[in-house]
Structures are given as structure tokens and as C-alpha cells.
Amino acid sequence: GSAAVAATTGTPTAGDLGDATLFYISDDGMQLVAFERRLERRAEPTAQARVVLEAQLAEPPAPLLSPIPPGTRLLNIYLTDRGDAFVDLSEEVTLGHSGGSLEELFTVYAIVNALTTNLPVINAVQILINGREVDTLVGHVDLQSPLERNMQWVADPNAEPTPEAEPTLEVEAT
């Protein structure tokens, strides 16, 4: 039946759906926000990790902002027996980056947290670019070893917003 071709992804026939937690930047740009989405469930952890990452790289729901630079593609993902995930991203993740230290933390920990939160078998995540280990994305966050989940930059959904406590970011003149 040619009708099956017209079925969009996300229909129940494509496999069971499950809740996954993804991480986006709040509309004020100051923190990450955990956001629940329905994603396909895959039995095999690497396949499931790919589903989660592809969703994390996709456009976020408004008014949230994507922590991943535009054009960034997932090239590959490997899981080790130790529970480390190696996420190989295209070079847009650095080329398209704003370069701020906070933004770099958001990019790195959106990926780390999305995988470690949704896949219990993953303890830590190392980001590769074009298949190579890198020191950092844009100079701030050490990526030379796998990183564990860190919710320090993620908004507490139960916390009251405190506008007066916003950190002032020093802007360096270039």
C-alpha cells in the first residue's frame, strides 16, 4: 500500500512512544530548561540514543531556544561497555557557535544531560567533532574526557523566577 509512505514519523505505528527529556535554552538565554517530548522507543540503546540526539538537535518549541548551533548534524554515536557515549557531531557545532562560555556550557550539557537522563545505561558523554577528539568546542569547556550529567545550569521547574539574581556577563571587546 502506497498509503504507508504518507504516514508521518511520530505516528503510533512507527513504534512505541515514550517520554523523553530534552534540554533547551530559556527565552531569556540564562539557563537550560528541561522539556518533555514524546519520542520513539528503541530496544537497542545506541538506536535510542540516536533518537534522543536527533530530537535534541531539532528545532525547539517556541519560545525556547536551541542550545545546538544551526546546521549541527549527528554523524555517529558509540556506546562503550563502561557506559560512556561518544557523540560525533559535524563541525557546525563549533563554526556556528556564538562563542560565549555560558552558551558553550548549554551546548555541551544539553547533549550530555539528554543522553544521561534518558538512557540509564549511559553514565558519561564525550563529544567528538568530525570523528576526532577535541579539547573544547569554542575554548571554555574541557571535552577531553567523558562528562557526567550536570544539572547546575538547568532551571528548577519548581523554583520561583528571581529576576534580580541574573548574573552579569562580562563582554570582552574583540
Side-chain angles (χ1 to χ4, degrees):
S2 58
V5 180
T8 56
T9 55
T11 49
T13 51
D16 290 339
L17 293 179
D19 287 326
T21 305
L22 302 176
F23 295 89
Y24 301 114
I25 301 176
S26 57
D27 52 1
D28 65 3
M30 286 297 168
Q31 54 198 358
L32 287 173
V33 179
F35 186 87
E36 295 265 306
R37 294 190 72 168
R38 307 281 291 166
L39 297 181
E40 280 183 46
R41 279 199 186 285
R42 300 284 170 82
E44 207 271 308
T46 306
Q48 184 65 40
R50 188 178 284 276
V51 169
V52 168
L53 279 173
E54 294 284 7
Q56 179 68 69
L57 295 182
E59 283 294 300
L64 301 175
L65 311 168
S66 177
I68 317 292
T72 302
R73 298 184 316 284
L74 174 62
L75 302 179
N76 223 322
I77 179 163
Y78 317 91
L79 302 186
T80 70
D81 297 337
R82 284 206 317 274
D84 293 335
F86 291 86
V87 175
D88 187 9
L89 299 173
S90 64
E91 59 198 7
E92 282 84 355
V93 73
T94 58
L95 298 180
H97 209 280
S98 67
S101 54
L102 192 61
E103 288 83 359
E104 184 173 358
L105 286 165
F106 290 163
T107 303
V108 169
Y109 281 103
I111 292 168
V112 171
N113 291 347
L115 286 177
T116 54
T117 299
N118 294 302
L119 288 103
V121 297
I122 298 178
N123 299 318
V125 179
Q126 183 161 0
I127 296 171
L128 311 175
I129 299 174
N130 282 343
R132 290 192 302 274
E133 290 193 19
V134 290
D135 294 342
T136 68
L137 287 185
V138 288
H140 308 287
V141 183
D142 182 355
L143 299 180
Q144 295 176 81
S145 54
L147 298 169
E148 295 182 353
R149 178 161 62 159
N150 187 330
M151 303 300 270
Q152 180 181 339
W153 295 279
V154 179
D156 179 350
N158 307 316
E160 293 298 311
T162 50
E164 68 274 13
E166 282 187 5
T168 53
L169 289 178
E170 307 289 325
V171 179
E172 295 176 61
T174 47

